[in-house]
Amino acid sequence: MAAEPIAPLRGLRNLAILLAIWEVVGRLDLVAGGALPGITEILLRLWEDRGDYPRHVWATLAASGAGFVIGNFVAVAAGVLFALSPVALRLFRGVNIAVFALPPIAIAPILVLTLSGMAPRIVLAALGVYFVTMTATVIGLSQADSRATDLIRAYGGNRRDELRLVLFRGAMPSILAGLRVAAPNAVLGAILAEFGGGGRWGLGAYLLGSLGRGEPDRLWGIGLVATLIAGLSYGAFALLSRRVAGATRAVTLNSAIPDVSVQAGGPALRVALAGGTIALPFVLWWAFIRLTGVPDLIAKTPWGVVDYLFLAHTAETAQARLFAALAETLPITVLGMFAGLGFAFALAVSSRLAPRAIEAFMPVALITQTMPLVALTPLLVLILGRGPSLTLWVTISVTFFPAFVTLAQGLALVPRSAEDLPRAYGAGRWREIGMVTIPASLPYLFAATRLTVPRALLGVMIAEWLATGRGLGNLLNQSRGYLDYGMIWTVAAVSVLLSVVFYQAVVIVERRVLRRMGMATAE
Amino acid sequence: MTAPDGIALSGVCKTFTGRGRVVEALRDVTLSCPQGSFTAIIGPSGCGKSTAMRIAMGLEAPDAGTVRIAGRAPLDAARAGLTGIAFQDAALLPWRSVRRNVEVPLEVLRRPLAASADHVGHLIDLVGLTGFENALPGELSGGMRQRVAIARALVTHPQVLFMDEPFGALDQILRRQMNLELQRIWAESGSTALLVTHGIDEAVFLADSVVIMHAGPGRIVERIDIPFERPRQPHLFSDPLFHETCDRIAEALHGG
């Protein structure tokens, strides 16, 4: 038997095998009557279209790059603020969850109505990165080794010294993992805005223009280019974080009991905070509309949506349409979410069992997962048709990626000594995983679940908008066509509210479980 | 006027609430360590000895009672650079080299690093880590990491030295060596030392006074003065009087 080739070579070998299979299958038109062209056919088409690409690619890059920088800058600043001030964190909780839960596809039409030029694309890209990076920053800062921060405090250091000497450096792997996930998000956000907002240039616009022409090779070409951009941005940060994480891993297990957050202030303050948390998103919504100065007919304030849905003479039909759409959207969202999450968890845990198999699988997983969803959906439509299974697959793939990255990172931070202990007592890999890996990664599993919830809804809505013609996504698309501004704002508001409710449900379970286990919440 | 006690705890009480249970960690703990003395606290796990030390360092606030370090509030003393700290767990920053870990207190206190470069090098030499200045904690053994922590505790020329089981992770041979070293360093520095330990022999060898604590609630039950002359030599470990003292402390620990 020949010696096993070293890791990168093995990855290349697997990729080569995959490409060869793709080529054969494509050339023979084995998938859905030619929906999957051979790789060489796609490349040939790319070459033919080479004149079109630069301006589209440039437009997408510019928007997602600007959004990435702006969004991350705000996110890290906000993360530091929240890590330093629990009051601010609580007050902005509603805003954070709402920003996170905004299905970009629902917001795209709204941004196009209220902003102009490149602004909608940049805003959507920035929104796509904000929450991921902000959360990663707070997690990284708040999960610092309490022994190290004790040392700084014992020498009379203040919060700033802790930040400077311990927290920032300790949070780097977490922040970089956040940026890694955020980078493809920015591309996805920009393309979604191009998709939903018209405009001539940008890969989203190009894709939209080519969608109706039934040319699988061109659609695949655009999809590959979009994936390449997202994948390269992911890879750059993955490389960076690998260089940093090595020295940051704790050498011993920190067994200090995490601080139970002290409820400072009286009940009056707490009620005020809770009220502020709920009110702030609506205040910002209202302020955004007032600041952009868009007329009331087009831009609905929170009150405008209530009026549309409950008071206006068309309220009843509006409600009926909304509920019918919800009945189609909700079940498949829940199903897709659990499937995506389960798959991610199984894969992350088994990456401990069979690191080499995962290594071989990773390139494939990354390629499919960094593929911006809008670019992926038309291709999945070609293969899977426009039925419910399409929605399900899109949802699984959109939840899987962030969940897997979060979990894999959590597992990588499990201290060496904790893993060595069961092994030293002769425990097998499975025992070790059961005793150490899974419990230690629980905070990350919950964090991943929280991340996944709204994405599931996004996946479903994208599939509905682009392909199946059902549910909330379709309702949004239709309303755009009918210039039914009330319904556009209503769907956006309802989808955000739904996500927030799901999210809160996860948070409640998380608090209970982790408190019982004496672990800290990965906020 | 006499100098204030190096460490003075008076009537300190502390309770913790965790997972629905209330634990009385310290009840009416009063302890005074004169300037330049060496005091060891010994007691079973969970008797609150580490909590007492955390309160003395200013990491926890007592529910009742007062704390004075060299006549000042604990954190004021810390900010003035009067204290040195070695934790039970080395608590090294994993991304910093040995030298850069030793320098952490200087950075917190915003002292110029260049001025202390020789001192840092001397301390690393003192704890026997010459040649490892640029190693990362992950590359060191447990004992070596602990020695980095000792060097770090001494880097500020502290007046008051807090040590929470600093040699807990070391083997007996190395531990005795470090005890001798510590006695020398402490005598040179003239600092007030407070040592939390599990080791009776270590306490008797190093301290002027051994404080015995019991758990549930955490409290001081006895204080035994150790009369041996200084500097104490290694052969003290085999002195009959030494063993007698150790036995007395063991008795006091087991409910005496």
Side-chain angles (χ1 to χ4, degrees), chain A residues 147-148 150-151 153-156 161 164-165 169 247 251 516, chain B residues 19 54 59 78-79 83 85 89 93-95 107-108 110 145 152:
Chain A
R147 299 168 299 179
D150 271 356
L151 183 86
R153 284 174 53 214
Y155 276 102
D161 294 314
R164 184 167 62 92
L165 292 169
R169 185 55 180 74
V251 187
R516 195 178 310 161
Chain B
R19 294 217 260 168
R54 286 175 65 84
L59 289 177
R79 286 193 192 103
T83 55
I85 289 135
D89 222 328
L93 301 180
W95 53 84
E107 285 187 41
V108 177
R110 296 195 165 71
R145 287 202 288 270
R152 185 179 57 192

PDB file of all heavy atoms in Angstrom, chain A residues 147-148 150-151 153-156 161 164-165 169 247 251 516, chain B residues 19 54 59 78-79 83 85 89 93-95 107-108 110 145 152:
ATOM      1  N   ARG A 147      -8.950  33.727  35.489  1.00  0.00           N
ATOM      2  CA  ARG A 147      -7.719  33.787  36.290  1.00  0.00           C
ATOM      3  C   ARG A 147      -6.832  34.912  35.789  1.00  0.00           C
ATOM      4  O   ARG A 147      -6.217  35.634  36.569  1.00  0.00           O
ATOM      5  CB  ARG A 147      -6.966  32.461  36.185  1.00  0.00           C
ATOM      6  CG  ARG A 147      -7.756  31.287  36.694  1.00  0.00           C
ATOM      7  CD  ARG A 147      -7.107  29.996  36.301  1.00  0.00           C
ATOM      8  NE  ARG A 147      -7.024  29.860  34.853  1.00  0.00           N
ATOM      9  CZ  ARG A 147      -6.483  28.834  34.229  1.00  0.00           C
ATOM     10  NH1 ARG A 147      -5.929  27.870  34.936  1.00  0.00           N
ATOM     11  NH2 ARG A 147      -6.465  28.760  32.931  1.00  0.00           N
ATOM     12  N   ALA A 148      -6.781  35.057  34.466  1.00  0.00           N
ATOM     13  CA  ALA A 148      -5.925  36.100  33.903  1.00  0.00           C
ATOM     14  C   ALA A 148      -6.470  37.479  34.231  1.00  0.00           C
ATOM     15  O   ALA A 148      -5.709  38.389  34.567  1.00  0.00           O
ATOM     16  CB  ALA A 148      -5.807  35.913  32.391  1.00  0.00           C
ATOM     17  N   ASP A 150      -8.315  38.178  36.806  1.00  0.00           N
ATOM     18  CA  ASP A 150      -8.081  38.340  38.246  1.00  0.00           C
ATOM     19  C   ASP A 150      -6.700  38.928  38.490  1.00  0.00           C
ATOM     20  O   ASP A 150      -6.523  39.817  39.322  1.00  0.00           O
ATOM     21  CB  ASP A 150      -8.145  36.981  38.958  1.00  0.00           C
ATOM     22  CG  ASP A 150      -9.562  36.659  39.397  1.00  0.00           C
ATOM     23  OD1 ASP A 150     -10.438  37.526  39.208  1.00  0.00           O
ATOM     24  OD2 ASP A 150      -9.786  35.557  39.907  1.00  0.00           O
ATOM     25  N   LEU A 151      -5.733  38.422  37.779  1.00  0.00           N
ATOM     26  CA  LEU A 151      -4.360  38.877  37.969  1.00  0.00           C
ATOM     27  C   LEU A 151      -4.255  40.371  37.679  1.00  0.00           C
ATOM     28  O   LEU A 151      -3.653  41.124  38.443  1.00  0.00           O
ATOM     29  CB  LEU A 151      -3.420  38.093  37.049  1.00  0.00           C
ATOM     30  CG  LEU A 151      -1.958  38.467  37.239  1.00  0.00           C
ATOM     31  CD1 LEU A 151      -1.359  37.647  38.353  1.00  0.00           C
ATOM     32  CD2 LEU A 151      -1.183  38.306  35.951  1.00  0.00           C
ATOM     33  N   ARG A 153      -6.654  42.560  37.736  1.00  0.00           N
ATOM     34  CA  ARG A 153      -7.396  43.321  38.749  1.00  0.00           C
ATOM     35  C   ARG A 153      -6.615  43.361  40.061  1.00  0.00           C
ATOM     36  O   ARG A 153      -6.620  44.374  40.750  1.00  0.00           O
ATOM     37  CB  ARG A 153      -8.769  42.693  38.964  1.00  0.00           C
ATOM     38  CG  ARG A 153      -9.734  43.016  37.843  1.00  0.00           C
ATOM     39  CD  ARG A 153     -11.039  42.266  38.012  1.00  0.00           C
ATOM     40  NE  ARG A 153     -11.625  42.458  39.324  1.00  0.00           N
ATOM     41  CZ  ARG A 153     -12.316  41.522  39.973  1.00  0.00           C
ATOM     42  NH1 ARG A 153     -12.478  40.328  39.439  1.00  0.00           N
ATOM     43  NH2 ARG A 153     -12.835  41.778  41.140  1.00  0.00           N
ATOM     44  N   ALA A 154      -5.951  42.247  40.399  1.00  0.00           N
ATOM     45  CA  ALA A 154      -5.224  42.202  41.663  1.00  0.00           C
ATOM     46  C   ALA A 154      -4.065  43.192  41.675  1.00  0.00           C
ATOM     47  O   ALA A 154      -3.614  43.605  42.727  1.00  0.00           O
ATOM     48  CB  ALA A 154      -4.714  40.791  41.926  1.00  0.00           C
ATOM     49  N   TYR A 155      -3.588  43.570  40.491  1.00  0.00           N
ATOM     50  CA  TYR A 155      -2.548  44.600  40.436  1.00  0.00           C
ATOM     51  C   TYR A 155      -3.170  45.983  40.271  1.00  0.00           C
ATOM     52  O   TYR A 155      -2.491  46.928  39.871  1.00  0.00           O
ATOM     53  CB  TYR A 155      -1.557  44.315  39.306  1.00  0.00           C
ATOM     54  CG  TYR A 155      -0.495  43.335  39.736  1.00  0.00           C
ATOM     55  CD1 TYR A 155      -0.563  42.005  39.361  1.00  0.00           C
ATOM     56  CD2 TYR A 155       0.557  43.742  40.548  1.00  0.00           C
ATOM     57  CE1 TYR A 155       0.393  41.096  39.786  1.00  0.00           C
ATOM     58  CE2 TYR A 155       1.518  42.844  40.970  1.00  0.00           C
ATOM     59  CZ  TYR A 155       1.435  41.525  40.587  1.00  0.00           C
ATOM     60  OH  TYR A 155       2.387  40.642  41.012  1.00  0.00           O
ATOM     61  N   GLY A 156      -4.462  46.066  40.543  1.00  0.00           N
ATOM     62  CA  GLY A 156      -5.113  47.367  40.497  1.00  0.00           C
ATOM     63  C   GLY A 156      -5.479  47.811  39.094  1.00  0.00           C
ATOM     64  O   GLY A 156      -5.798  48.968  38.879  1.00  0.00           O
ATOM     65  N   ASP A 161      -7.417  48.086  31.322  1.00  0.00           N
ATOM     66  CA  ASP A 161      -6.206  47.263  31.340  1.00  0.00           C
ATOM     67  C   ASP A 161      -6.533  45.821  31.000  1.00  0.00           C
ATOM     68  O   ASP A 161      -5.785  45.144  30.299  1.00  0.00           O
ATOM     69  CB  ASP A 161      -5.545  47.328  32.725  1.00  0.00           C
ATOM     70  CG  ASP A 161      -5.015  48.718  33.035  1.00  0.00           C
ATOM     71  OD1 ASP A 161      -4.378  49.296  32.150  1.00  0.00           O
ATOM     72  OD2 ASP A 161      -5.271  49.209  34.144  1.00  0.00           O
ATOM     73  N   ARG A 164      -6.927  45.670  27.349  1.00  0.00           N
ATOM     74  CA  ARG A 164      -5.667  45.873  26.636  1.00  0.00           C
ATOM     75  C   ARG A 164      -4.782  44.638  26.731  1.00  0.00           C
ATOM     76  O   ARG A 164      -4.217  44.184  25.747  1.00  0.00           O
ATOM     77  CB  ARG A 164      -4.961  47.074  27.280  1.00  0.00           C
ATOM     78  CG  ARG A 164      -3.689  47.535  26.646  1.00  0.00           C
ATOM     79  CD  ARG A 164      -3.335  48.910  27.219  1.00  0.00           C
ATOM     80  NE  ARG A 164      -3.111  48.878  28.659  1.00  0.00           N
ATOM     81  CZ  ARG A 164      -1.916  48.699  29.213  1.00  0.00           C
ATOM     82  NH1 ARG A 164      -0.862  48.519  28.465  1.00  0.00           N
ATOM     83  NH2 ARG A 164      -1.771  48.702  30.523  1.00  0.00           N
ATOM     84  N   LEU A 165      -4.685  44.061  27.936  1.00  0.00           N
ATOM     85  CA  LEU A 165      -3.686  43.015  28.159  1.00  0.00           C
ATOM     86  C   LEU A 165      -4.233  41.602  27.955  1.00  0.00           C
ATOM     87  O   LEU A 165      -3.502  40.704  27.571  1.00  0.00           O
ATOM     88  CB  LEU A 165      -3.118  43.138  29.576  1.00  0.00           C
ATOM     89  CG  LEU A 165      -2.272  44.379  29.806  1.00  0.00           C
ATOM     90  CD1 LEU A 165      -1.983  44.566  31.266  1.00  0.00           C
ATOM     91  CD2 LEU A 165      -0.976  44.275  29.016  1.00  0.00           C
ATOM     92  N   ARG A 169      -6.699  40.285  23.116  1.00  0.00           N
ATOM     93  CA  ARG A 169      -5.882  39.235  22.524  1.00  0.00           C
ATOM     94  C   ARG A 169      -6.580  37.881  22.681  1.00  0.00           C
ATOM     95  O   ARG A 169      -6.566  37.057  21.775  1.00  0.00           O
ATOM     96  CB  ARG A 169      -4.510  39.240  23.191  1.00  0.00           C
ATOM     97  CG  ARG A 169      -3.528  38.272  22.597  1.00  0.00           C
ATOM     98  CD  ARG A 169      -3.375  38.517  21.102  1.00  0.00           C
ATOM     99  NE  ARG A 169      -2.433  37.568  20.550  1.00  0.00           N
ATOM    100  CZ  ARG A 169      -2.706  36.295  20.359  1.00  0.00           C
ATOM    101  NH1 ARG A 169      -3.896  35.836  20.672  1.00  0.00           N
ATOM    102  NH2 ARG A 169      -1.791  35.472  19.851  1.00  0.00           N
ATOM    103  N   ALA A 247      -1.615  29.901  19.821  1.00  0.00           N
ATOM    104  CA  ALA A 247      -0.995  30.364  21.058  1.00  0.00           C
ATOM    105  C   ALA A 247      -2.027  30.789  22.088  1.00  0.00           C
ATOM    106  O   ALA A 247      -1.683  31.139  23.198  1.00  0.00           O
ATOM    107  CB  ALA A 247      -0.065  31.544  20.755  1.00  0.00           C
ATOM    108  N   VAL A 251      -4.073  26.505  28.632  1.00  0.00           N
ATOM    109  CA  VAL A 251      -3.264  25.328  28.881  1.00  0.00           C
ATOM    110  C   VAL A 251      -3.911  24.446  29.941  1.00  0.00           C
ATOM    111  O   VAL A 251      -3.781  23.236  29.938  1.00  0.00           O
ATOM    112  CB  VAL A 251      -1.843  25.740  29.308  1.00  0.00           C
ATOM    113  CG1 VAL A 251      -0.954  24.513  29.398  1.00  0.00           C
ATOM    114  CG2 VAL A 251      -1.259  26.716  28.308  1.00  0.00           C
ATOM    115  N   ARG A 516     -27.981  25.303  35.236  1.00  0.00           N
ATOM    116  CA  ARG A 516     -27.964  24.052  35.990  1.00  0.00           C
ATOM    117  C   ARG A 516     -26.595  23.390  35.906  1.00  0.00           C
ATOM    118  O   ARG A 516     -26.146  22.723  36.827  1.00  0.00           O
ATOM    119  CB  ARG A 516     -29.042  23.103  35.460  1.00  0.00           C
ATOM    120  CG  ARG A 516     -29.312  21.957  36.411  1.00  0.00           C
ATOM    121  CD  ARG A 516     -30.416  21.061  35.912  1.00  0.00           C
ATOM    122  NE  ARG A 516     -31.605  21.807  35.529  1.00  0.00           N
ATOM    123  CZ  ARG A 516     -32.550  21.310  34.731  1.00  0.00           C
ATOM    124  NH1 ARG A 516     -32.429  20.118  34.220  1.00  0.00           N
ATOM    125  NH2 ARG A 516     -33.611  22.022  34.416  1.00  0.00           N
TER     126      ARG A 516
ATOM    127  N   ARG B  19     -26.227  28.507  42.865  1.00  0.00           N
ATOM    128  CA  ARG B  19     -27.138  27.403  42.568  1.00  0.00           C
ATOM    129  C   ARG B  19     -28.125  27.185  43.719  1.00  0.00           C
ATOM    130  O   ARG B  19     -28.351  26.066  44.190  1.00  0.00           O
ATOM    131  CB  ARG B  19     -26.360  26.123  42.313  1.00  0.00           C
ATOM    132  CG  ARG B  19     -25.520  26.276  41.037  1.00  0.00           C
ATOM    133  CD  ARG B  19     -25.451  25.020  40.261  1.00  0.00           C
ATOM    134  NE  ARG B  19     -24.231  24.275  40.456  1.00  0.00           N
ATOM    135  CZ  ARG B  19     -24.060  23.037  40.039  1.00  0.00           C
ATOM    136  NH1 ARG B  19     -25.032  22.398  39.443  1.00  0.00           N
ATOM    137  NH2 ARG B  19     -22.916  22.418  40.235  1.00  0.00           N
ATOM    138  N   ARG B  54      -8.351  36.343  48.490  1.00  0.00           N
ATOM    139  CA  ARG B  54      -8.930  37.158  47.409  1.00  0.00           C
ATOM    140  C   ARG B  54      -9.469  38.477  47.963  1.00  0.00           C
ATOM    141  O   ARG B  54      -9.394  39.520  47.304  1.00  0.00           O
ATOM    142  CB  ARG B  54     -10.037  36.396  46.683  1.00  0.00           C
ATOM    143  CG  ARG B  54      -9.510  35.291  45.755  1.00  0.00           C
ATOM    144  CD  ARG B  54     -10.641  34.482  45.140  1.00  0.00           C
ATOM    145  NE  ARG B  54     -11.457  35.290  44.246  1.00  0.00           N
ATOM    146  CZ  ARG B  54     -11.158  35.524  42.965  1.00  0.00           C
ATOM    147  NH1 ARG B  54     -10.057  35.009  42.444  1.00  0.00           N
ATOM    148  NH2 ARG B  54     -11.937  36.267  42.214  1.00  0.00           N
ATOM    149  N   LEU B  59      -9.928  41.412  45.268  1.00  0.00           N
ATOM    150  CA  LEU B  59     -10.684  40.797  44.168  1.00  0.00           C
ATOM    151  C   LEU B  59     -12.132  40.541  44.562  1.00  0.00           C
ATOM    152  O   LEU B  59     -13.002  40.439  43.717  1.00  0.00           O
ATOM    153  CB  LEU B  59     -10.028  39.484  43.738  1.00  0.00           C
ATOM    154  CG  LEU B  59      -8.716  39.633  43.003  1.00  0.00           C
ATOM    155  CD1 LEU B  59      -8.116  38.278  42.692  1.00  0.00           C
ATOM    156  CD2 LEU B  59      -8.918  40.412  41.716  1.00  0.00           C
ATOM    157  N   ALA B  78      -2.697  47.940  45.699  1.00  0.00           N
ATOM    158  CA  ALA B  78      -2.336  47.284  44.441  1.00  0.00           C
ATOM    159  C   ALA B  78      -1.938  48.309  43.397  1.00  0.00           C
ATOM    160  O   ALA B  78      -0.940  48.162  42.701  1.00  0.00           O
ATOM    161  CB  ALA B  78      -3.513  46.440  43.937  1.00  0.00           C
ATOM    162  N   ARG B  79      -2.727  49.398  43.317  1.00  0.00           N
ATOM    163  CA  ARG B  79      -2.443  50.409  42.295  1.00  0.00           C
ATOM    164  C   ARG B  79      -1.139  51.137  42.583  1.00  0.00           C
ATOM    165  O   ARG B  79      -0.501  51.664  41.681  1.00  0.00           O
ATOM    166  CB  ARG B  79      -3.591  51.416  42.211  1.00  0.00           C
ATOM    167  CG  ARG B  79      -4.799  50.814  41.541  1.00  0.00           C
ATOM    168  CD  ARG B  79      -5.838  51.840  41.143  1.00  0.00           C
ATOM    169  NE  ARG B  79      -7.054  51.118  40.787  1.00  0.00           N
ATOM    170  CZ  ARG B  79      -8.115  51.033  41.572  1.00  0.00           C
ATOM    171  NH1 ARG B  79      -8.144  51.674  42.719  1.00  0.00           N
ATOM    172  NH2 ARG B  79      -9.165  50.324  41.201  1.00  0.00           N
ATOM    173  N   THR B  83       1.937  45.382  46.051  1.00  0.00           N
ATOM    174  CA  THR B  83       1.631  43.956  46.218  1.00  0.00           C
ATOM    175  C   THR B  83       2.255  43.117  45.113  1.00  0.00           C
ATOM    176  O   THR B  83       2.500  43.598  44.008  1.00  0.00           O
ATOM    177  CB  THR B  83       0.115  43.734  46.196  1.00  0.00           C
ATOM    178  OG1 THR B  83      -0.418  44.287  44.990  1.00  0.00           O
ATOM    179  CG2 THR B  83      -0.552  44.393  47.383  1.00  0.00           C
ATOM    180  N   ILE B  85       1.695  39.038  43.496  1.00  0.00           N
ATOM    181  CA  ILE B  85       0.696  37.984  43.557  1.00  0.00           C
ATOM    182  C   ILE B  85       1.129  36.750  42.787  1.00  0.00           C
ATOM    183  O   ILE B  85       1.559  36.832  41.637  1.00  0.00           O
ATOM    184  CB  ILE B  85      -0.629  38.501  42.976  1.00  0.00           C
ATOM    185  CG1 ILE B  85      -1.248  39.518  43.950  1.00  0.00           C
ATOM    186  CG2 ILE B  85      -1.611  37.368  42.750  1.00  0.00           C
ATOM    187  CD1 ILE B  85      -1.752  40.736  43.277  1.00  0.00           C
ATOM    188  N   ASP B  89      -3.030  28.597  40.377  1.00  0.00           N
ATOM    189  CA  ASP B  89      -2.867  28.184  39.005  1.00  0.00           C
ATOM    190  C   ASP B  89      -2.001  29.265  38.391  1.00  0.00           C
ATOM    191  O   ASP B  89      -2.233  30.442  38.637  1.00  0.00           O
ATOM    192  CB  ASP B  89      -4.244  28.154  38.347  1.00  0.00           C
ATOM    193  CG  ASP B  89      -4.390  26.937  37.479  1.00  0.00           C
ATOM    194  OD1 ASP B  89      -3.372  26.513  36.919  1.00  0.00           O
ATOM    195  OD2 ASP B  89      -5.494  26.429  37.388  1.00  0.00           O
ATOM    196  N   LEU B  93      -0.657  34.207  30.634  1.00  0.00           N
ATOM    197  CA  LEU B  93      -1.345  34.500  29.384  1.00  0.00           C
ATOM    198  C   LEU B  93      -0.719  33.623  28.301  1.00  0.00           C
ATOM    199  O   LEU B  93       0.472  33.725  28.035  1.00  0.00           O
ATOM    200  CB  LEU B  93      -1.198  35.982  29.034  1.00  0.00           C
ATOM    201  CG  LEU B  93      -1.763  36.927  30.101  1.00  0.00           C
ATOM    202  CD1 LEU B  93      -1.576  38.379  29.688  1.00  0.00           C
ATOM    203  CD2 LEU B  93      -3.239  36.640  30.340  1.00  0.00           C
ATOM    204  N   PRO B  94      -1.530  32.754  27.690  1.00  0.00           N
ATOM    205  CA  PRO B  94      -0.966  31.721  26.818  1.00  0.00           C
ATOM    206  C   PRO B  94      -0.254  32.265  25.585  1.00  0.00           C
ATOM    207  O   PRO B  94       0.554  31.566  24.991  1.00  0.00           O
ATOM    208  CB  PRO B  94      -2.180  30.872  26.420  1.00  0.00           C
ATOM    209  CG  PRO B  94      -3.386  31.627  26.833  1.00  0.00           C
ATOM    210  CD  PRO B  94      -2.974  32.629  27.860  1.00  0.00           C
ATOM    211  N   TRP B  95      -0.558  33.510  25.200  1.00  0.00           N
ATOM    212  CA  TRP B  95       0.051  34.024  23.969  1.00  0.00           C
ATOM    213  C   TRP B  95       1.302  34.854  24.240  1.00  0.00           C
ATOM    214  O   TRP B  95       1.888  35.400  23.336  1.00  0.00           O
ATOM    215  CB  TRP B  95      -0.974  34.865  23.195  1.00  0.00           C
ATOM    216  CG  TRP B  95      -1.599  35.921  24.024  1.00  0.00           C
ATOM    217  CD1 TRP B  95      -1.091  37.158  24.274  1.00  0.00           C
ATOM    218  CD2 TRP B  95      -2.814  35.840  24.740  1.00  0.00           C
ATOM    219  NE1 TRP B  95      -1.917  37.846  25.107  1.00  0.00           N
ATOM    220  CE2 TRP B  95      -2.990  37.078  25.404  1.00  0.00           C
ATOM    221  CE3 TRP B  95      -3.791  34.850  24.885  1.00  0.00           C
ATOM    222  CZ2 TRP B  95      -4.091  37.340  26.198  1.00  0.00           C
ATOM    223  CZ3 TRP B  95      -4.883  35.116  25.679  1.00  0.00           C
ATOM    224  CH2 TRP B  95      -5.033  36.339  26.322  1.00  0.00           C
ATOM    225  N   GLU B 107       3.230  46.269  33.183  1.00  0.00           N
ATOM    226  CA  GLU B 107       2.387  46.916  32.178  1.00  0.00           C
ATOM    227  C   GLU B 107       1.099  47.417  32.796  1.00  0.00           C
ATOM    228  O   GLU B 107       0.606  48.490  32.451  1.00  0.00           O
ATOM    229  CB  GLU B 107       2.088  45.945  31.034  1.00  0.00           C
ATOM    230  CG  GLU B 107       3.279  45.763  30.121  1.00  0.00           C
ATOM    231  CD  GLU B 107       2.923  44.925  28.900  1.00  0.00           C
ATOM    232  OE1 GLU B 107       1.841  45.112  28.332  1.00  0.00           O
ATOM    233  OE2 GLU B 107       3.744  44.066  28.537  1.00  0.00           O
ATOM    234  N   VAL B 108       0.530  46.610  33.730  1.00  0.00           N
ATOM    235  CA  VAL B 108      -0.701  47.058  34.386  1.00  0.00           C
ATOM    236  C   VAL B 108      -0.436  48.347  35.165  1.00  0.00           C
ATOM    237  O   VAL B 108      -1.236  49.270  35.160  1.00  0.00           O
ATOM    238  CB  VAL B 108      -1.243  45.976  35.332  1.00  0.00           C
ATOM    239  CG1 VAL B 108      -2.480  46.484  36.065  1.00  0.00           C
ATOM    240  CG2 VAL B 108      -1.572  44.707  34.562  1.00  0.00           C
ATOM    241  N   ARG B 110       1.785  50.440  34.516  1.00  0.00           N
ATOM    242  CA  ARG B 110       2.317  51.437  33.577  1.00  0.00           C
ATOM    243  C   ARG B 110       3.723  51.881  33.960  1.00  0.00           C
ATOM    244  O   ARG B 110       4.048  53.061  33.944  1.00  0.00           O
ATOM    245  CB  ARG B 110       1.387  52.636  33.487  1.00  0.00           C
ATOM    246  CG  ARG B 110       0.029  52.265  32.917  1.00  0.00           C
ATOM    247  CD  ARG B 110      -0.780  53.464  32.494  1.00  0.00           C
ATOM    248  NE  ARG B 110      -1.886  53.036  31.642  1.00  0.00           N
ATOM    249  CZ  ARG B 110      -2.951  52.360  32.083  1.00  0.00           C
ATOM    250  NH1 ARG B 110      -3.048  52.039  33.353  1.00  0.00           N
ATOM    251  NH2 ARG B 110      -3.903  51.993  31.264  1.00  0.00           N
ATOM    252  N   ARG B 145       5.876  26.542  34.667  1.00  0.00           N
ATOM    253  CA  ARG B 145       4.876  27.615  34.591  1.00  0.00           C
ATOM    254  C   ARG B 145       4.721  28.280  35.957  1.00  0.00           C
ATOM    255  O   ARG B 145       4.587  29.485  36.062  1.00  0.00           O
ATOM    256  CB  ARG B 145       3.528  27.050  34.126  1.00  0.00           C
ATOM    257  CG  ARG B 145       3.493  26.694  32.665  1.00  0.00           C
ATOM    258  CD  ARG B 145       2.066  26.676  32.150  1.00  0.00           C
ATOM    259  NE  ARG B 145       1.331  25.543  32.655  1.00  0.00           N
ATOM    260  CZ  ARG B 145       1.272  24.367  32.041  1.00  0.00           C
ATOM    261  NH1 ARG B 145       1.908  24.196  30.898  1.00  0.00           N
ATOM    262  NH2 ARG B 145       0.584  23.375  32.551  1.00  0.00           N
ATOM    263  N   ARG B 152       6.985  36.461  38.305  1.00  0.00           N
ATOM    264  CA  ARG B 152       6.065  37.561  38.023  1.00  0.00           C
ATOM    265  C   ARG B 152       5.639  38.258  39.322  1.00  0.00           C
ATOM    266  O   ARG B 152       5.496  39.471  39.369  1.00  0.00           O
ATOM    267  CB  ARG B 152       4.845  37.016  37.275  1.00  0.00           C
ATOM    268  CG  ARG B 152       3.879  38.083  36.832  1.00  0.00           C
ATOM    269  CD  ARG B 152       2.707  37.498  36.088  1.00  0.00           C
ATOM    270  NE  ARG B 152       2.021  36.519  36.923  1.00  0.00           N
ATOM    271  CZ  ARG B 152       1.098  35.681  36.472  1.00  0.00           C
ATOM    272  NH1 ARG B 152       0.777  35.675  35.195  1.00  0.00           N
ATOM    273  NH2 ARG B 152       0.515  34.838  37.287  1.00  0.00           N
TER     274      ARG B 152
END
